[in-house]
Amino acid sequence: MSATPDFAATLLPADEITAAVDGFLAASPATRSWDVETGVDWDDADAGLLTEGQRSAVQFVTLIEDHLPGYFDVYHRWFPVDDSVDLPVFEHNRELYHFTVRWAVEEDTHARALARYQLASGMAERSALRTELAIEGRKPFDLPYAHPVQFFAYALVQEKATQMYYQQLREVVGDPALAGLLTRLSRDEARHFSFMAEVVTRYLRVHGDAVVDPIRDVVAGFRMPLSDTLRGYWRWALKIADVADYDHTAAYEHLIKVIDRAVDARSDRVGELVDFVGQCRALR
């Protein structure tokens, strides 16, 4: 699937997305970045200090993070930067691209670092891990959305849930090298969440009630990435959730905070959305 004229008509004004991107980049200067080669003392990595469940969690999140080409392709298809769109849409998408390429570099760093941990700690052998990642990585990924705010609302919840998982996993792992790596990952995910929250905030302020139903649909059908393609996903997800006392719906509370900060006073429809999100959290 790809963007349609109706999709383009509901984009934020280019000035709005520019302000969000500029804010993210100003808060994320290159001097604060880290790299796989020097960011962790790999000689200290030791999977022997992990429980079987903790090793399984590392394997799981490595597969999730390594699917970056599929995630990035979603943005390329829905927010193209070529002559398939008219000039105002291109301007919007080109500004967004400044974020997505930085985000992609950081997420690719996560994937490489987690794979490097598996190799350095003795969890995996290089060729076997490369094949394992390729088997899952070549599977397609898409999101079933038709409104631009949905891509940001989905990523808001997903990035916050991932951040929270890394933080909670860090608190229980036995290997200090892995704990340090998880700290770096969680900080990056927190910044990514902040960007998505800023964009959703701007959609609510610009479009108001018109984005209530699209955001509601995201929450109603929310699933973490690869839940439909990764072999044994649900069994594996439940297992790693137990390792770190994790529930992705805890991120819904942060969506509610974003909604409340975005509007000066809740309309009836925004109030219904907040109630619905809260009910989804309670039910889970």
Side-chain angles (χ1 to χ4, degrees):
M1 298 176 66
S2 58
T4 65
D6 288 342
F7 183 92
T10 51
L11 292 170
L12 281 178
D15 285 347
E16 293 284 340
I17 198 69
T18 298
V21 172
D22 285 352
F24 172 80
L25 295 176
S28 311
T31 53
R32 294 180 57 186
S33 64
W34 61 282
D35 62 81
V36 174
E37 285 66 36
T38 63
V40 177
D41 189 344
W42 298 113
D43 290 339
D44 292 340
D46 184 0
L49 299 173
L50 305 180
T51 67
E52 187 276 332
Q54 292 165 8
R55 289 192 294 273
S56 182
V58 172
Q59 293 170 324
F60 183 85
V61 297
T62 303
L63 286 164
I64 300 298
E65 293 277 10
D66 196 69
H67 210 82
L68 172 67
Y71 310 146
F72 187 74
D73 184 58
V74 167
Y75 283 91
H76 176 71
R77 285 184 284 115
W78 287 93
F79 302 97
V81 280
D82 56 35
D83 63 0
S84 67
V85 295
D86 62 24
L87 189 60
V89 174
F90 184 96
E91 291 177 1
H92 169 282
N93 293 355
R94 183 65 181 94
E95 292 298 325
L96 176 62
Y97 192 79
H98 293 305
F99 165 79
T100 55
V101 292
R102 171 68 73 86
W103 165 81
V105 168
E106 294 179 356
E107 295 291 358
D108 196 56
T109 297
H110 297 182
R112 291 187 61 237
L114 288 164
R116 178 74 173 268
Y117 177 81
Q118 289 200 45
L119 301 177
S121 69
M123 281 182 57
E125 184 272 329
R126 183 178 298 274
S127 62
L129 178 59
R130 185 169 56 237
T131 298
E132 178 186 15
L133 295 174
I135 289 171
E136 298 300 336
R138 64 196 297 267
K139 295 177 181 177
F141 177 79
D142 204 353
L143 292 171
Y145 302 139
H147 191 294
V149 74
Q150 294 179 302
F151 293 87
F152 302 103
Y154 176 87
L156 181 157
V157 175
Q158 180 266 318
E159 295 281 3
K160 175 55 71 171
T162 304
Q163 174 204 343
M164 295 170 72
Y165 185 73
Y166 288 155
Q167 289 175 324
Q168 291 166 214
L169 183 61
R170 177 192 62 198
E171 296 304 312
V172 300
V173 295
D175 183 359
L178 177 58
L181 172 57
L182 291 169
T183 297
R184 291 186 179 278
L185 301 187
S186 64
R187 288 174 179 169
D188 286 350
E189 303 294 8
R191 290 185 300 100
H192 301 165
F193 159 78
S194 294
F195 173 78
M196 300 302 174
E198 177 67 16
V199 175
V200 171
T201 295
R202 289 175 181 274
Y203 266 100
L204 284 162
R205 290 175 178 169
V206 171
H207 294 293
D209 286 355
V211 298
V212 166
D213 285 344
I215 294 174
R216 178 190 174 103
D217 289 345
V218 169
V219 177
F222 187 86
R223 294 183 177 184
M224 290 294 282
L226 309 194
S227 60
D228 295 325
T229 59
L230 183 61
R231 291 174 300 173
Y233 176 91
W234 294 107
R235 175 180 52 79
W236 205 349
L238 288 171
K239 180 179 180 180
I240 71 156
D242 288 341
V243 170
D245 190 23
Y246 165 76
D247 175 1
H248 79 264
T249 65
Y252 293 173
E253 297 173 9
H254 296 271
L255 174 58
I256 291 174
K257 292 177 182 178
V258 169
I259 295 169
D260 279 337
R261 285 196 296 265
V263 297
D264 294 327
R266 293 182 185 176
S267 67
D268 289 344
R269 296 197 68 200
V270 170
E272 291 169 1
L273 172 62
V274 169
D275 290 344
F276 175 75
V277 176
Q279 290 166 8
C280 289
R281 167 64 174 146
L283 287 172
R284 297 293 179 92

Coordinates of all heavy atoms in Angstrom, one line a residue, residues 87-130:
L87 N 4.2 19.2 -5.2 CA 5.3 20.0 -4.5 C 5.0 20.2 -3.0 O 5.9 20.0 -2.2 CB 5.4 21.4 -5.2 CG 6.7 22.2 -4.8 CD1 8.0 21.4 -5.0 CD2 6.7 23.5 -5.5
P88 N 3.8 20.6 -2.6 CA 3.6 20.8 -1.1 C 3.8 19.5 -0.3 O 4.3 19.6 0.8 CB 2.1 21.3 -1.0 CG 1.9 21.9 -2.4 CD 2.6 21.1 -3.4
V89 N 3.3 18.4 -0.9 CA 3.5 17.1 -0.2 C 5.0 16.7 -0.1 O 5.5 16.3 0.9 CB 2.7 16.0 -0.9 CG1 3.0 14.6 -0.2 CG2 1.2 16.3 -0.8
F90 N 5.7 17.0 -1.2 CA 7.1 16.7 -1.2 C 7.8 17.5 -0.2 O 8.7 17.0 0.5 CB 7.7 17.0 -2.6 CG 9.2 16.7 -2.7 CD1 9.6 15.5 -3.2 CD2 10.2 17.5 -2.2 CE1 10.9 15.1 -3.3 CE2 11.5 17.2 -2.3 CZ 11.9 16.0 -2.9
E91 N 7.4 18.8 0.0 CA 8.1 19.7 1.0 C 7.9 19.1 2.4 O 8.8 19.0 3.2 CB 7.5 21.1 0.9 CG 7.9 21.8 -0.3 CD 7.2 23.2 -0.4 OE1 6.5 23.6 0.6 OE2 7.4 23.9 -1.4
H92 N 6.7 18.6 2.7 CA 6.4 18.0 4.0 C 7.2 16.7 4.1 O 7.9 16.5 5.1 CB 4.9 17.6 4.1 CG 4.6 16.7 5.2 ND1 4.8 15.3 5.2 CD2 4.0 16.9 6.4 CE1 4.5 14.8 6.3 NE2 4.0 15.7 7.1
N93 N 7.2 15.9 3.1 CA 7.9 14.6 3.2 C 9.4 14.8 3.3 O 10.1 14.0 4.0 CB 7.5 13.7 2.0 CG 6.1 13.3 2.0 OD1 5.4 13.6 3.0 ND2 5.7 12.6 1.0
R94 N 9.9 15.8 2.6 CA 11.4 16.0 2.6 C 11.8 16.4 4.0 O 12.9 16.0 4.5 CB 11.8 17.0 1.6 CG 13.3 17.3 1.5 CD 14.0 16.0 1.0 NE 15.5 16.2 1.0 CZ 16.3 15.9 2.0 NH1 15.8 15.4 3.1 NH2 17.6 16.1 1.9
E95 N 11.0 17.3 4.7 CA 11.3 17.7 6.1 C 11.3 16.5 7.0 O 12.1 16.3 7.8 CB 10.3 18.8 6.5 CG 10.5 20.1 5.8 CD 11.9 20.7 6.0 OE1 12.4 20.5 7.1 OE2 12.4 21.3 5.1
L96 N 10.2 15.6 6.8 CA 10.1 14.4 7.7 C 11.3 13.5 7.4 O 11.8 12.8 8.4 CB 8.8 13.7 7.4 CG 8.6 12.4 8.1 CD1 8.6 12.6 9.6 CD2 7.3 11.7 7.6
Y97 N 11.8 13.5 6.2 CA 12.9 12.6 5.9 C 14.2 12.9 6.7 O 15.0 12.0 7.0 CB 13.2 12.7 4.4 CG 14.2 11.7 3.8 CD1 13.7 10.4 3.5 CD2 15.5 12.0 3.6 CE1 14.5 9.4 3.0 CE2 16.4 11.0 3.0 CZ 15.9 9.8 2.7 OH 16.7 8.8 2.2
H98 N 14.3 14.2 7.1 CA 15.5 14.5 7.9 C 15.4 13.7 9.3 O 16.5 13.4 9.8 CB 15.5 16.0 8.2 CG 15.8 16.9 7.0 ND1 16.9 16.7 6.3 CD2 15.1 17.9 6.5 CE1 16.9 17.6 5.3 NE2 15.8 18.3 5.4
F99 N 14.2 13.5 9.8 CA 14.0 12.7 11.0 C 14.2 11.2 10.7 O 15.0 10.5 11.4 CB 12.7 12.9 11.6 CG 12.4 11.8 12.6 CD1 12.9 11.9 13.9 CD2 11.6 10.7 12.3 CE1 12.7 10.9 14.8 CE2 11.3 9.7 13.2 CZ 11.9 9.8 14.5
T100 N 13.6 10.7 9.6 CA 13.6 9.3 9.4 C 15.0 8.7 9.1 O 15.3 7.6 9.5 CB 12.6 8.9 8.3 OG1 12.9 9.6 7.1 CG2 11.2 9.2 8.7
V101 N 15.8 9.5 8.4 CA 17.1 9.0 8.2 C 18.0 8.9 9.5 O 18.7 8.0 9.7 CB 17.9 9.8 7.1 CG1 17.2 9.5 5.7 CG2 18.0 11.2 7.4
R102 N 17.8 10.0 10.3 CA 18.5 9.9 11.6 C 18.0 8.8 12.5 O 18.7 8.0 13.1 CB 18.3 11.2 12.4 CG 18.8 11.2 13.8 CD 20.3 11.1 13.9 NE 20.9 12.4 13.5 CZ 21.2 13.4 14.4 NH1 20.8 13.3 15.7 NH2 21.7 14.5 14.0
W103 N 16.7 8.6 12.5 CA 16.0 7.5 13.2 C 16.5 6.2 12.7 O 16.8 5.3 13.5 CB 14.5 7.6 13.1 CG 13.7 6.4 13.5 CD1 13.4 6.0 14.7 CD2 13.2 5.4 12.6 NE1 12.7 4.8 14.6 CE2 12.5 4.5 13.3 CE3 13.2 5.3 11.2 CZ2 11.9 3.4 12.8 CZ3 12.6 4.2 10.6 CH2 12.0 3.3 11.4
A104 N 16.6 6.0 11.4 CA 17.0 4.8 10.8 C 18.5 4.5 11.2 O 18.8 3.3 11.5 CB 16.9 4.8 9.3
V105 N 19.4 5.4 11.2 CA 20.7 5.2 11.6 C 20.8 4.7 13.0 O 21.5 3.8 13.4 CB 21.6 6.5 11.4 CG1 22.9 6.4 12.1 CG2 21.8 6.8 10.0
E106 N 20.0 5.4 13.9 CA 20.0 5.0 15.3 C 19.4 3.6 15.5 O 20.0 2.8 16.3 CB 19.3 6.0 16.1 CG 20.0 7.4 16.1 CD 19.3 8.4 16.9 OE1 18.2 8.2 17.4 OE2 19.9 9.6 17.0
E107 N 18.4 3.3 14.8 CA 17.8 1.9 15.0 C 18.7 0.9 14.4 O 18.8 -0.2 14.9 CB 16.4 1.9 14.3 CG 15.4 2.8 15.0 CD 14.9 2.3 16.3 OE1 15.4 1.3 16.8 OE2 14.1 3.0 17.0
D108 N 19.4 1.2 13.3 CA 20.3 0.2 12.7 C 21.5 0.0 13.7 O 22.0 -1.1 13.8 CB 20.8 0.7 11.4 CG 21.5 -0.4 10.6 OD1 20.8 -1.4 10.4 OD2 22.7 -0.2 10.2
T109 N 21.9 1.1 14.4 CA 22.9 0.9 15.4 C 22.4 -0.1 16.5 O 23.2 -0.9 17.0 CB 23.3 2.3 16.0 OG1 23.8 3.1 15.0 CG2 24.3 2.1 17.2
H110 N 21.2 0.1 16.9 CA 20.6 -0.9 17.9 C 20.7 -2.3 17.4 O 21.1 -3.2 18.1 CB 19.1 -0.5 18.2 CG 18.9 0.8 18.8 ND1 17.7 1.3 19.1 CD2 19.8 1.8 19.1 CE1 17.8 2.5 19.6 NE2 19.0 2.8 19.6
A111 N 20.3 -2.5 16.1 CA 20.3 -3.9 15.6 C 21.8 -4.4 15.6 O 22.0 -5.6 16.0 CB 19.8 -3.9 14.2
R112 N 22.7 -3.6 15.1 CA 24.1 -4.1 15.1 C 24.7 -4.3 16.5 O 25.4 -5.3 16.7 CB 25.0 -3.0 14.3 CG 24.7 -2.9 12.9 CD 25.7 -2.0 12.2 NE 27.0 -2.5 12.3 CZ 28.0 -1.8 12.8 NH1 27.9 -0.6 13.3 NH2 29.2 -2.4 12.9
A113 N 24.3 -3.5 17.4 CA 24.8 -3.6 18.8 C 24.3 -4.9 19.4 O 25.0 -5.6 20.1 CB 24.5 -2.4 19.6
L114 N 23.0 -5.2 19.3 CA 22.5 -6.4 19.9 C 23.1 -7.6 19.2 O 23.3 -8.6 19.9 CB 20.9 -6.4 19.7 CG 20.2 -5.4 20.6 CD1 18.8 -5.1 20.2 CD2 20.2 -5.9 22.1
A115 N 23.2 -7.6 17.9 CA 23.9 -8.7 17.2 C 25.3 -8.9 17.7 O 25.8 -10.0 18.0 CB 23.8 -8.6 15.7
R116 N 26.0 -7.8 17.8 CA 27.4 -7.8 18.3 C 27.5 -8.4 19.7 O 28.4 -9.1 20.1 CB 28.0 -6.4 18.3 CG 29.4 -6.2 18.8 CD 30.5 -6.8 17.8 NE 31.8 -6.5 18.3 CZ 32.5 -5.4 18.0 NH1 32.0 -4.5 17.1 NH2 33.7 -5.3 18.4
Y117 N 26.5 -8.0 20.6 CA 26.5 -8.6 21.9 C 26.4 -10.1 21.9 O 27.1 -10.8 22.6 CB 25.3 -8.0 22.8 CG 25.3 -8.6 24.1 CD1 26.2 -8.2 25.1 CD2 24.5 -9.7 24.4 CE1 26.2 -8.8 26.4 CE2 24.5 -10.4 25.6 CZ 25.4 -9.9 26.6 OH 25.4 -10.6 27.8
Q118 N 25.5 -10.6 21.0 CA 25.3 -12.0 20.9 C 26.6 -12.7 20.5 O 27.0 -13.8 21.1 CB 24.2 -12.4 19.9 CG 22.8 -12.1 20.4 CD 21.8 -12.8 19.6 OE1 21.9 -14.0 19.4 NE2 20.7 -12.2 19.1
L119 N 27.4 -12.1 19.6 CA 28.6 -12.7 19.2 C 29.7 -12.6 20.2 O 30.4 -13.5 20.6 CB 29.1 -12.0 17.9 CG 28.2 -12.0 16.7 CD1 28.7 -11.3 15.5 CD2 27.9 -13.5 16.3
A120 N 29.8 -11.4 20.8 CA 30.9 -11.1 21.8 C 30.7 -11.9 23.1 O 31.7 -12.3 23.8 CB 31.0 -9.6 22.1
S121 N 29.5 -12.1 23.5 CA 29.1 -12.8 24.7 C 29.2 -14.3 24.6 O 29.0 -15.0 25.7 CB 27.8 -12.3 25.2 OG 26.7 -12.8 24.4
G122 N 29.2 -14.8 23.4 CA 29.2 -16.3 23.3 C 27.9 -16.8 23.0 O 27.7 -18.1 23.0
M123 N 26.9 -16.0 22.8 CA 25.5 -16.5 22.6 C 25.3 -17.1 21.2 O 24.5 -18.0 21.0 CB 24.5 -15.4 22.8 CG 24.1 -15.0 24.2 SD 22.9 -13.7 24.3 CE 21.5 -14.5 23.3
A124 N 26.0 -16.6 20.2 CA 25.8 -17.0 18.8 C 27.0 -17.0 18.0 O 28.0 -16.4 18.4 CB 24.7 -16.1 18.2
E125 N 27.0 -17.7 16.9 CA 28.1 -17.7 16.0 C 27.7 -16.9 14.8 O 26.5 -16.9 14.4 CB 28.4 -19.2 15.5 CG 29.5 -19.4 14.6 CD 29.1 -19.2 13.1 OE1 28.0 -19.6 12.8 OE2 30.0 -18.8 12.3
R126 N 28.6 -16.2 14.2 CA 28.3 -15.1 13.2 C 27.4 -15.6 12.0 O 26.4 -15.0 11.7 CB 29.6 -14.5 12.7 CG 29.3 -13.3 11.7 CD 30.6 -12.7 11.2 NE 31.4 -12.1 12.3 CZ 31.2 -10.9 12.8 NH1 30.2 -10.1 12.3 NH2 31.9 -10.4 13.8
S127 N 27.9 -16.6 11.3 CA 27.1 -17.0 10.1 C 25.7 -17.5 10.5 O 24.8 -17.3 9.8 CB 27.9 -18.1 9.4 OG 28.1 -19.3 10.2
A128 N 25.6 -18.3 11.6 CA 24.3 -18.8 12.0 C 23.4 -17.6 12.4 O 22.2 -17.6 12.0 CB 24.4 -19.7 13.2
L129 N 23.9 -16.6 13.1 CA 23.1 -15.5 13.4 C 22.7 -14.7 12.2 O 21.5 -14.2 12.1 CB 23.8 -14.6 14.4 CG 23.1 -13.3 14.9 CD1 21.8 -13.6 15.5 CD2 24.0 -12.5 15.8
R130 N 23.6 -14.5 11.3 CA 23.3 -13.8 10.0 C 22.2 -14.4 9.3 O 21.2 -13.8 8.8 CB 24.5 -13.6 9.2 CG 24.3 -12.8 7.9 CD 25.7 -12.5 7.2 NE 26.4 -13.7 6.9 CZ 27.6 -14.0 7.3 NH1 28.3 -13.2 8.1 NH2 28.2 -15.1 6.9

